[in-house]
Amino acid sequence: MKTNFRYDNKAAYALLTPIVVLLTIFVVIPFFYAIKVSFYNWSFYQESTFVGFRNFYMVVTDRLFGEAVWVGLKFALMVVPAMLILSFLFANVVKNLGAKYSGFVKTSIYIPTIISGIIASVIFVFIYDYMGGLANYVIGWFGSEPKAWLADVATALPSIAAPAIWLGFGFTALIMLAGLHDIPESYYEAADLEGAGAFKKMWYITIPLMRNVILYLLVTGFIAQISQFELSLVMTNGGPLSETTTPNLYILNHFRNDVMVGNSIAASLLLFVVLGSISALIFRVLNSEKAVDG
Amino acid sequence: MKENWGKSKPWSIMLSALIIMALAVTGCGGNNDKGSSASPSASVSPSESSTPSESGEPAESESNAPAEKVKLEFWAQKFEESTDAWFKKWTDEFNKTHENIEIKLTIVPGDAWAQKMKAAQAAGKAPDIKTISYGNIANGAKMGEILPLNDLIDATAFDDLYDNVKEFVTVGDKYYAYPKLVEPSAVLFYRKDMFKEAGLDPEKPPTTWAEVLEYGKKLTKKGVFGFSIAQNAADLGWSSWGLQYNAAGHLAITDDWSKADINNDGYKSVFNFYQQAYQSGIMPKQQLAGYTDIKPFGEGKLAMQVIGSWAIGQLRNSYKNILDNVGIAPMASIDGDQTKPTATLGGWTLAVDGKSEHAQEAASYISYLLAGDPNIMIDFFKGSQFSKFSARKSVDEAMKVDVDASKDTWRALVAEKVIPYAKAEPIYPWDISFALSTGIESAMRGTSVDKAIAKAEKDINDFITKSKLAGTNPKS
């Protein structure tokens, strides 16, 4: 029997060409150019001078860069798990709602996703305002003194994590929901017959079958949150001290202030390595598997 | 099968052509705001640089006129609206009166300035003329980013400058920019009515740091904080220079840039002052607005605020109803001696780009706008409600005759009691100021002063060694 399809290389290449061309222009060439430039003292008005690994040395030995990466990790550890757990619970609730209500709920939780990070930051700056902000008004009901949410070393980073969760929640919840709908109903029916409770069903059916969805959300979530910078740029400008200076904000600050550009490019490349290793680590710990549904 | 494929082939080609076009359009547009992706600097420069390309070149095609018109790009940083309007007004005027030169003015917001400028420089499309602050001139000159103006602008124009300001734009034996204004970084604004309520003499603002703290305590009550000054490292970095001069007589590093010079009593007093002000509860624990914004004072949430003289303009425009109750004084000095510096003189100048092909024409615009008819500058100072100050003697002379200017007591106070004692901004890299101000901020948040100073000293010395800064001061 002949197969009823054939390899159509021409069409395949034709369809691949645009993305390959664009990736080459906007990603591959700049990437290799950046690697080259990172070995130079790069200035636009004078001859660039080759400095070897000096830019990298400067970044690696900069205490602030290490702190920034650490801040990024802490931030991602606050945001990603909280977002995943919340949206998992939420998706379960939505799944069992009637079609009419679920449409409304899905739309409304997706709204924050289409709001720009900058606007969200501004809204939350108002909420955290020291005099007359909503947050201090609310804790005032319980007789609490106003808190310096964004200026206190202990509360600054969690205060920025809150809008990040709010912004990313809708997207993860919808993906989770899609994952839930993909689990065949018959598994649950079988479990019911065996007398499994809700928790058992979640533990032995839902979570294992959601593995790939969770893996995807973990990897993209970690990368997105570690490279987050507009929230801290607008809300705290990296302060208090360097408590909320995420790696990308560190790079941006150097790009804006430094006379030479080599330092910020070296820092960007190092951040690329950091993000790459984190993704690799997550993939290693949580192997992705081909779905085993019937 | 084959026939089918034959038919669909043009479709697939057209489809992919469409996709190419669509992606090209979205790809170009989308790339700009992708700054948060892994390697922003790598992706931003090539794509952003393509945007300003409409400038310049197409001029040749329409050159039927005998004398070819020189088209110049001018980027001005965004300031108050009155300043933007002034730039527009007088640039139009210049274009009307100069047939062979056309200046194209672009106002660039401050937070986009560095990115936009770097992208343009990388593409060789930097503007011919740009605004540049005093603190950046020495480095710009060293890097060849701006041209010396000695041969381009008449020497008499520079003779008109006050001597200390002339110094700000000089590197080696050349002038690299022409000043537009000076403004002191720190002046004390206080509420006379609140002084009275607290039993203080409204005509006697505090003159020593101890008095500031004492008055601050008396003025703090429910809903009103007694005192406000910069409280995060980014603002402290530059706004504390005046107080550093005040207490220590010098800035954070030695003149030859070889090491930190902050482990001394002067710097300890500076750290102590900020620490006490913050910890005693007379300042809000979280800043109500950035250092450059007088909004919380205008709204009555502060009794005393230290802020630059530019706040005069904001007060006069936005908070007219409290003006009668506002007093203004030089920032207090450590020991009450008000002839010691309490502020640095910041300000803005215009400079010609190092790669400009029409440096002469660019310089002629600068000298028309800033060094020519004093009335052009007076128009600017009026628009700013006299919150900024002239760098030129002749403009001040002309202003004495002007009714509005001569009656203005705030202007007189700043011009006579603050500016003469103010110092120039330092030109060493920002990292040093930032390391120091991070030390001040950590002291405010509870680190002991000695520890904070020791850490800042180490950070500064590390930076100096790593970036081989010793002996590179372009002005020594």
Side-chain angles (χ1 to χ4, degrees):
Chain A
M1 253 282 278
K2 268 180 97 183
T3 46
N4 58 354
F5 69 91
R6 57 199 200 90
Y7 293 105
D8 207 336
N9 286 340
K10 275 187 199 155
Y13 286 132
L15 289 171
L16 280 174
T17 314
I19 196 66
V20 170
V21 167
L22 284 173
L23 279 177
T24 313
I25 294 174
F26 289 110
V27 178
V28 180
I29 295 176
F31 181 69
F32 285 101
Y33 186 59
I35 293 180
K36 183 189 156 219
V37 163
S38 69
F39 294 108
Y40 284 84
N41 243 350
W42 193 35
S43 138
F44 308 126
Y45 290 82
Q46 289 171 341
E47 286 293 298
S48 299
T49 44
F50 183 78
V51 291
F53 282 95
R54 191 162 171 76
N55 288 323
F56 290 95
Y57 168 77
M58 296 281 278
V59 174
V60 171
T61 53
D62 188 350
R63 188 172 49 78
L64 288 175
F65 180 73
E67 278 176 19
V69 171
W70 178 230
V71 166
L73 280 176
K74 275 198 290 186
F75 183 72
L77 283 175
M78 280 177 204
V79 174
V80 178
M83 201 157 72
L84 289 189
I85 292 171
L86 278 177
S87 50
F88 180 73
L89 297 178
F90 191 82
N92 273 296
V93 174
V94 174
K95 191 189 163 198
N96 297 321
L97 282 177
K100 216 160 112 194
Y101 293 111
S102 77
F104 173 74
V105 174
K106 276 187 276 185
T107 316
S108 44
I109 62 154
Y110 198 70
I111 288 176
T113 311
I114 54 171
I115 290 178
S116 108
I118 303 292
I119 293 170
S121 317
V122 173
I123 296 173
F124 275 80
V125 164
F126 283 122
I127 292 178
Y128 292 130
D129 195 70
Y130 190 57
M131 292 175 93
L134 183 67
N136 278 336
Y137 181 68
V138 170
I139 65 166
W141 290 344
F142 306 101
S144 213
E145 285 291 303
K147 259 180 168 322
W149 298 99
L150 296 174
D152 193 321
V153 175
T155 55
L157 199 59
S159 303
I160 290 182
I165 295 173
W166 183 70
L167 281 171
F169 178 69
F171 180 70
T172 40
L174 288 194
I175 296 210
M176 286 265 190
L177 185 62
L180 284 181
H181 279 306
D182 215 27
I183 300 174
E185 216 33 55
S186 56
Y187 291 7
Y188 292 108
E189 283 159 12
D192 281 337
L193 288 177
E194 301 286 338
F199 182 76
K200 280 235 158 93
K201 281 192 275 183
M202 184 183 88
W203 191 252
Y204 289 107
I205 300 173
T206 316
I207 292 186
L209 288 174
M210 293 274 283
R211 186 199 195 110
N212 288 343
V213 172
I214 293 172
L215 181 70
Y216 165 75
L217 290 174
L218 262 184
V219 173
T220 52
F222 256 89
I223 291 178
Q225 298 311 330
I226 293 176
S227 20
Q228 172 62 261
F229 81 108
E230 65 259 36
L231 288 174
S232 38
L233 175 71
V234 176
M235 294 175 71
T236 57
N237 201 8
L241 303 173
S242 55
E243 263 332 285
T244 60
T245 305
T246 54
N248 268 335
L249 185 57
Y250 168 91
I251 293 168
L252 179 75
N253 285 340
H254 269 278
F255 179 65
R256 293 206 287 199
N257 293 328
D258 289 8
V259 183
M260 303 287 196
V261 199
N263 195 308
S264 17
I265 291 177
S268 314
L269 292 173
L270 284 173
L271 180 64
F272 175 78
V273 174
V274 171
L275 290 175
S277 7
I278 290 173
S279 317
L281 196 76
I282 297 177
F283 272 115
R284 216 184 159 82
V285 175
L286 284 173
N287 272 320
S288 80
E289 278 171 13
K290 220 169 181 183
V292 277
D293 54 16
Chain B
M1 274 298 182
K2 249 194 166 174
E3 288 155 357
N4 262 343
W5 167 235
K7 266 181 196 167
S8 65
K9 198 175 176 185
W11 280 108
S12 72
I13 292 172
M14 264 179 71
L15 191 74
S16 41
L18 264 177
I19 294 174
I20 294 177
M21 271 164 62
L23 284 178
V25 170
T26 50
C28 291
N31 212 279
N32 280 342
D33 47 35
K34 258 196 186 161
S36 60
S37 66
S39 55
S41 36
S43 63
V44 164
S45 33
S47 63
E48 267 196 55
S49 57
S50 62
T51 39
S53 60
E54 314 144 16
S55 63
E57 284 125 307
E60 286 159 40
S61 56
E62 47 190 75
S63 62
N64 292 333
E68 201 171 317
K69 211 170 199 181
V70 177
K71 290 198 176 179
L72 297 176
E73 284 279 325
F74 169 32
W75 287 8
Q77 200 151 333
K78 171 142 186 54
F79 299 101
E80 299 87 347
E81 269 165 34
S82 58
T83 306
D84 302 343
W86 178 81
F87 270 128
K88 277 187 199 124
K89 175 179 164 190
W90 291 102
T91 304
D92 287 347
E93 200 66 28
F94 178 88
N95 286 339
K96 262 184 232 157
T97 48
H98 294 70
E99 273 185 4
N100 298 330
I101 311 177
E102 189 184 327
I103 306 284
K104 187 170 167 266
L105 168 70
T106 311
I107 304 238
V108 182
D111 42 6
W113 176 270
Q115 287 98 311
K116 197 170 154 72
M117 182 59 83
K118 288 225 161 125
Q121 286 173 336
K125 303 257 181 202
D128 301 278
I129 309 157
K130 64 179 170 194
T131 50
I132 180 168
S133 67
Y134 291 118
N136 289 324
I137 292 174
N139 259 325
K142 196 174 118 192
M143 304 297 301
E145 281 180 28
I146 50 180
L147 288 179
L149 299 177
N150 296 50
D151 302 332
L152 303 173
I153 292 180
D154 203 26
T156 52
F158 286 98
D159 293 337
D160 192 17
L161 296 172
Y162 287 108
D163 285 342
N164 57 345
V165 185
K166 204 191 284 181
E167 186 70 12
F168 297 174
V169 294
T170 308
V171 183
D173 52 357
K174 293 231 159 69
Y175 305 116
Y176 279 85
Y178 198 88
K180 178 177 171 218
L181 60 100
V182 292
E183 47 190 357
S185 60
V187 177
L188 180 69
F189 288 78
Y190 65 97
R191 287 286 291 264
K192 291 181 176 174
D193 49 342
M194 293 183 185
F195 265 55
K196 259 185 233 161
E197 267 175 51
L200 296 165
D201 184 350
E203 299 311 318
K204 284 203 182 122
T207 54
T208 67
W209 292 357
E211 273 177 4
V212 169
L213 299 175
E214 187 197 322
Y215 287 20
K217 235 173 237 155
K218 286 184 185 160
L219 290 161
T220 304
K221 56 183 183 193
K222 195 170 167 32
V224 179
F225 287 93
F227 181 63
S228 168
I229 194 166
Q231 59 190 99
N232 65 53
D235 284 344
L236 282 164
W238 54 275
S239 66
S240 68
W241 286 328
L243 298 188
Q244 296 173 37
Y245 268 122
N246 187 280
H250 57 78
L251 287 178
I253 55 173
T254 52
D255 276 345
D256 59 357
W257 289 10
S258 64
K259 61 177 194 297
D261 188 9
I262 59 171
N263 207 340
N264 51 48
D265 287 344
Y267 268 89
K268 277 179 194 160
S269 335
V270 175
F271 276 57
N272 258 319
F273 171 69
Y274 278 104
Q275 188 183 47
Q276 284 171 17
Y278 186 75
Q279 302 250 328
S280 63
I282 60 175
M283 287 172 67
K285 288 280 173 246
Q286 177 175 311
Q287 64 178 9
L288 304 178
Y291 179 77
T292 55
D293 191 354
I294 201 165
K295 183 165 168 255
F297 179 86
E299 290 174 348
K301 293 175 183 165
L302 297 171
M304 295 191 283
Q305 180 170 6
V306 179
I307 181 172
S309 66
W310 54 82
I312 294 176
Q314 197 189 346
L315 266 185
R316 285 184 171 159
N317 286 327
S318 308
Y319 303 100
K320 294 191 179 90
N321 54 335
I322 62 160
L323 286 181
D324 291 339
N325 286 322
V326 174
I328 170 170
M331 170 57 192
S333 171
I334 180 168
D335 52 5
D337 179 357
Q338 299 259 284
T339 61
K340 283 186 181 170
T342 52
T344 45
L345 283 185
W348 292 89
T349 66
L350 294 185
V352 178
D353 188 82
K355 285 182 178 167
S356 174
E357 283 166 15
H358 301 284
Q360 186 56 60
E361 286 84 354
S364 73
Y365 171 72
I366 295 178
S367 65
Y368 167 86
L369 193 68
L370 302 183
D373 183 356
N375 287 319
I376 299 181
M377 285 313 296
I378 291 181
D379 186 42
F380 167 72
F381 292 116
K382 269 191 186 164
S384 74
Q385 306 269 17
F386 301 112
S387 62
K388 302 175 196 300
F389 298 86
S390 173
R392 282 166 62 197
K393 296 174 207 159
S394 61
V395 173
D396 273 341
E397 286 299 318
M399 217 148 23
K400 273 184 195 154
V401 192
D402 188 278
V403 190
D404 292 341
S406 58
K407 271 198 303 199
D408 193 329
T409 51
W410 287 2
R411 192 193 105 74
L413 182 127
V414 177
E416 286 158 23
K417 296 204 172 144
V418 181
I419 292 181
Y421 311 115
K423 290 277 197 175
E425 291 180 347
I427 54 171
Y428 49 66
W430 170 250
D431 302 66
I432 291 172
S433 301
F434 193 70
L436 183 87
S437 62
T438 305
I440 298 181
E441 196 191 336
S442 68
M444 290 167 95
R445 298 188 186 286
T447 314
S448 81
V449 167
D450 287 331
K451 258 193 199 158
I453 286 195
K455 186 151 177 284
E457 188 181 23
K458 183 178 173 294
D459 282 351
I460 295 174
N461 282 337
D462 282 355
F463 177 80
I464 289 176
T465 331
K466 268 187 2 187
S467 40
K468 299 182 183 145
L469 212 58
T472 58
N473 183 356
K475 283 209 173 185
S476 79

